[in-house]
Amino acid sequence: MKHRRLALAAAAALVLTGCSGAASGSPEKGLDDPANKDIAMQLVSSAENSTLDWKAQYGYIEDIGDGRGWTAGIIGFCSGTGDMLKVVERYTAERPGNALERFLPALRAVDGSDSHEGLEDAFTAAWAKAAADPAFRSAQDAERDDSYFDPAVERAEADGLSALGQFIYYDAYVMHGYADAVGTVGFRTIRAQAVAEAEPPSGGGDEEEYLDAFLDARVAAMREEPAHSDTSRVESAQRVFVREGRLQLETPLVWKVYGESYRIDGS
C-alpha cells in the first residue's frame, strides 16, 4: 500500500506491547497489513452481513430499507449512492459485454434515490451470478479500496491513529460515506465533531480519549437515521476494543452486533 507509516508516542507503544505480548520495539502494523485488513473485513461483515465470511458476500444483494436502494457486495455498495454504479463500470471496463453492463443506464438513473426502476429481478440475479467472475470480485475490491479503505486509512494515519483507530475510521466511511447527504451525517462531519471535543494523537492527544469522542459523534450520527438506530456496531464492538486497549487489533477479539456474538482468534 502507498501509505506512509506514522510513529505513535512512546507511551502508546508501551501500552500496545503490554496488551499484545509483543517483544519490546516490535514494529506496529497499520490496517493495510494483510492480516489486519482481513480482520477489518470480518468486523465489517459481521455488521453488514451477520457473518465473518466476508469473501462469500460478493454476490449478496438486498434492499435493507435504508433509503439507499439495493445494498450489495462485500461492504454494502448501494444503487442510490453511486458506488454500485462505479463497481459495474469498473467491471465493464475489464469485462466488456458482461451481464451487468446493460443495467448501467438504470444505475445512473436511480443514483441519489431508493428506486429499483430498471433494476428488478434480472438485475439482482445478474449481480449474484457475476460473483463467480474474478473480474467482478476485483472490481468490488478496487472500489472498496479507492473510495473507502485507502482514504480512511490515510486520514487516520495523518491523525496519528493505530490499527484500531484506522478501522474505526474505515467502518465509519463504509456506513456514512465521506460527506453529508440528505438525511445523513458523513465521516467528515463526524470527525470534525470529534476533533472539537478531543485532540487526536497527531496533536498530542490521548488516542483512547479521542476515539471515544469520535465514537460519541458517530453514535449521534447513527441515531439521525432510523435504519441505523441500532448502535451495537459501535457500543458492543468498537467501543469495547477501545476500552480494552486493543489499539493494534490484538486477538482474541470478542464482540456483539445486533445481538449476535462473534470472535476472532489469533493465527
Side-chain angles (χ1 to χ4, degrees):
M1 303 288 287
K2 61 188 177 183
H3 308 299
R4 179 173 62 87
R5 195 63 44 217
L6 296 178
L8 298 180
L14 290 174
V15 171
L16 298 179
T17 300
C19 184
S20 66
S24 178
S26 295
E28 294 170 356
K29 296 179 179 179
L31 203 66
D32 52 7
D33 171 77
N36 281 344
K37 189 171 185 178
D38 186 66
I39 287 174
M41 290 302 297
Q42 291 183 67
L43 290 168
V44 169
S45 187
S46 72
E48 294 285 335
N49 304 104
S50 300
T51 177
L52 300 185
D53 188 5
W54 68 270
K55 293 180 181 179
Q57 306 311 312
Y58 289 98
Y60 158 77
I61 184 165
E62 69 173 319
D63 190 326
I64 63 173
D66 63 353
R68 295 175 172 89
W70 293 118
T71 295
I74 55 172
I75 61 166
F77 304 107
C78 295
S79 58
T81 61
D83 52 3
M84 180 180 284
L85 169 62
K86 291 179 182 178
V87 168
V88 178
E89 288 176 335
R90 288 177 184 273
Y91 181 37
T92 299
E94 179 66 23
R95 191 84 76 204
N98 71 79
L100 288 170
E101 183 175 4
R102 69 186 180 95
F103 296 103
L104 283 170
L107 284 167
R108 294 184 181 112
V110 303
D111 189 13
S113 76
D114 63 356
S115 173
H116 293 177
E117 186 173 356
L119 302 172
E120 290 84 16
D121 291 349
F123 172 72
T124 59
W127 180 281
K129 187 175 181 179
D133 186 348
F136 183 58
R137 298 195 296 271
S138 293
Q140 291 194 38
D141 292 345
E143 181 59 24
R144 171 201 62 198
D145 289 349
D146 286 356
S147 293
Y148 299 97
F149 189 86
D150 289 359
V153 171
E154 186 172 14
R155 178 66 262 177
E157 287 181 335
D159 285 342
L161 301 181
S162 62
L164 174 58
Q166 292 168 31
F167 167 70
I168 286 173
Y169 273 22
Y170 169 54
D171 191 65
Y173 256 83
V174 168
M175 174 177 277
H176 302 278
Y178 175 68
D180 296 354
V182 177
T184 68
V185 178
F187 169 86
R188 179 175 57 191
T189 296
I190 294 170
R191 179 185 173 275
Q193 292 171 345
V195 170
E197 295 297 324
E199 197 75 39
S202 60
D206 176 80
E207 180 165 12
E208 292 184 19
E209 290 181 5
Y210 173 74
L211 290 177
D212 264 330
F214 184 88
L215 293 176
D216 287 344
R218 183 169 176 201
V219 165
M222 292 171 71
R223 288 176 175 158
E224 293 292 318
E225 297 184 63
H228 292 147
S229 59
D230 185 324
T231 61
S232 61
R233 183 173 185 148
V234 169
E235 301 293 14
S236 57
Q238 296 170 36
R239 186 93 70 181
V240 172
F241 303 154
V242 172
R243 290 176 178 170
E244 290 177 346
R246 298 183 185 274
L247 298 180
Q248 286 299 114
L249 291 173
E250 297 90 345
T251 55
L253 293 169
V254 181
W255 73 99
K256 291 184 178 180
V257 179
Y258 310 138
E260 297 292 327
S261 297
Y262 300 92
R263 180 185 179 101
I264 297 176
D265 290 305
S267 57

